[in-house]
């Protein structure tokens, strides 16, 4: 004969039966009919190999075996309820977590100070680790080596969640007193100047060159460096012209004492997004992280 297997429903019913010591009262609490509750008690008895509740006059009383397991049953039911209860609002002060954020160098520069400062102030158990974009990025969210990606995301994996945060655009940047600033910056004058390009893959051309080619122009490129920060340092100490995201690198450009100027023709805007794996959709700690990143980078958007 097949033995009745215990289940969460039976544990819940047993917990209520032992508390009420009444089939009818337990049926009311569990919104069951008395016959259904009686059948459930029968299943419990078969599973435990014990009568559990026995008639004593007009009342039912628990057996010694039932009394012996009552506290354990209550604990199991409470633990199960906790598992199936959505978590409440996170308190960052109690959070202990390590977050790995994959981002472009400009994004890391723009948000690392704010995130590290906020962690030290309100979430001392949180550690942020920033890693630069590079080989293997496509699998970083999927395999869990990164918790969040913050960059211009053009071709995400099908399951990846992507949330746009801010829109940026490229501007030109030169050292103070640069000859290019002696008059209006036209496409012709911009093309004649020598440029340094920020490209982590070492590319020597981009959308700017395609647009200039459509005008019959070609800019002079001295070379490329892997990060915007490196490009800005080169610009600061030379007559080379650089291009950089206006909002993301604005504070750094000002700190270096460089001069920004608008590109004299339309360029595609850059939409900065944060992306994560769906396993973290409702994780309270990850929700807090995304809110923090949104607030920090959204502040750059509002400040301009």
């Amino acid at each position: 004969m097949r033995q009745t297997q215990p289940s969460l429903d039976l544990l819940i019913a047993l917990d209520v039966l032992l508390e009420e010591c009444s089939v009818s009262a337990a049926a009311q609490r569990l919104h069951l009919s008395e016959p259904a509750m009686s059948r459930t008690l029968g299943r419990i008895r078969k599973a435990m190999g014990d009568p559990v509740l026995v008639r004593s006059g007009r009342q039912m009383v628990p057996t010694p075996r039932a009394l012996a397991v009552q506290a354990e049953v209550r604990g199991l039911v409470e633990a199960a309820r906790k598992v199936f209860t959505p978590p409440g609002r996170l308190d960052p002060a109690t959070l202990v977590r390590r977050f790995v954020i994959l981002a472009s160098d400009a994004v890391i520069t723009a948000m690392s100070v704010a995130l590290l400062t906020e962690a030290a102030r309100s979430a001392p158990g949180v550690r942020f680790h920033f890693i630069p974009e590079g080989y293997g990025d496509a699998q970083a969210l999927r395999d869990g080596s990164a918790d969040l990606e913050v960059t211009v995301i053009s071709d995400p994996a099908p399951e990846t969640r992507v949330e746009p945060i801010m829109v940026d655009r490229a501007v030109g940047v030169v050292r103070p007193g640069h000859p290019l600033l002696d008059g209006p910056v036209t496409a012709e004058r911009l093309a004649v100047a020598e440029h340094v390009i920020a490209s982590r893959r070492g590319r020597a051309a981009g959308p700017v060159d395609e647009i200039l080619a459509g005008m019959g122009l070609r800019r002079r490129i001295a070379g490329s460096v892997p990060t915007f920060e490196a490009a800005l340092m080169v610009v600061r100490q030379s007559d080379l012209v650089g291009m950089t995201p206006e909002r993301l690198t604005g504070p750094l450009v000002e700190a270096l004492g460089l001069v920004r100027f608008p590109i004299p023709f339309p360029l595609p805007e850059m939409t900065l997004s944060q992306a994560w794996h769906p396993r973290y959709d409702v994780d309270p700690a990850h929700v807090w992280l995304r809110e923090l990143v949104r607030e920090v980078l959204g502040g750059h958007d509002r400040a301009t």
Side-chain angles (χ1 to χ4, degrees):
M1 184 173 64
R2 189 176 64 181
Q3 185 178 6
T4 300
Q5 295 296 319
S7 66
L8 179 58
D9 288 342
L10 288 186
L11 282 172
I12 293 172
L14 176 58
D15 181 49
V16 174
L17 281 164
L18 293 179
E19 185 175 346
E20 296 291 346
C21 289
S22 166
V23 171
S24 60
Q28 289 180 359
R29 279 185 56 181
L30 295 176
H31 305 288
L32 297 173
S33 66
E34 285 194 36
M37 193 73 245
S38 294
R39 290 193 295 271
T40 299
L41 177 56
R43 293 173 59 204
I44 292 171
R45 285 168 169 166
K46 185 179 292 186
M48 292 183 63
D50 186 88
V52 182
L53 290 174
V54 296
R55 182 69 61 183
S56 178
R58 294 186 175 182
Q59 297 179 332
M60 299 191 78
V61 295
T63 63
R65 166 73 171 150
L67 289 174
V69 301
Q70 185 173 15
E72 184 177 359
V73 170
R74 171 56 56 86
L76 290 171
V77 170
E78 289 300 325
R81 284 175 177 157
K82 184 176 181 181
V83 168
F84 290 106
T85 300
R89 181 71 179 178
L90 176 77
D91 180 5
T94 64
L95 179 61
V96 178
R97 188 80 167 256
R98 177 180 185 267
F99 289 114
V100 177
I101 300 176
L102 173 68
S104 65
D105 66 289
V107 171
I108 293 174
T109 300
M111 72 179 182
S112 58
V113 173
L115 262 61
L116 293 169
T117 301
E118 180 61 25
R121 184 187 71 83
S122 66
V126 170
R127 298 291 179 268
F128 291 115
H129 297 274
F130 299 92
I131 56 176
E133 295 176 311
Y135 179 77
D137 291 356
Q139 296 296 322
L141 297 178
R142 182 175 291 171
D143 64 23
S145 57
D147 298 288
L148 193 69
E149 182 178 9
V150 187
T151 187
V152 176
I153 300 173
S154 57
D155 187 25
E159 75 275 13
T160 302
R161 305 286 196 259
V162 178
E163 177 193 359
I165 299 178
M166 64 175 287
V167 175
D168 208 344
R169 61 184 178 184
V171 292
V173 60
V174 292
R175 64 166 179 81
H178 191 282
L180 193 61
L181 301 176
D182 291 343
V185 179
T186 62
E188 290 76 13
R189 293 187 66 221
L190 187 64
V192 169
E194 281 199 295
H195 294 250
V196 59
I197 295 176
S199 171
R200 62 187 174 92
R201 293 188 175 93
R203 292 174 178 167
V208 170
D209 301 281
E210 295 175 4
I211 294 173
L212 287 173
M215 301 178 183
L217 300 171
R218 181 177 180 180
R219 65 174 171 170
R220 298 167 59 191
I221 299 174
S224 68
V225 291
T227 67
F228 285 109
E229 285 77 5
L232 293 177
M233 294 302 296
V234 170
V235 167
R236 186 173 182 239
Q237 301 174 67
S238 70
D239 280 341
L240 295 178
V241 176
M243 293 186 185
T244 187
E246 181 179 28
R247 292 166 177 166
L248 280 179
T249 61
L252 182 58
V253 169
E254 293 178 6
L256 292 174
L258 300 174
V259 180
R260 291 182 292 184
F261 61 87
I263 306 300
F265 43 79
L267 281 175
E269 291 183 327
M270 299 171 283
T271 299
L272 187 71
S273 301
Q274 58 178 346
W276 64 94
H277 193 275
R279 70 169 73 92
Y280 294 125
D281 271 350
V282 297
D283 174 45
H286 204 279
V287 171
W288 172 80
L289 169 65
R290 300 196 304 264
E291 289 176 351
L292 189 56
V293 170
R294 190 182 306 120
E295 179 180 343
V296 169
L297 293 179
H300 283 264
D301 210 17
R302 293 189 297 271
T304 56

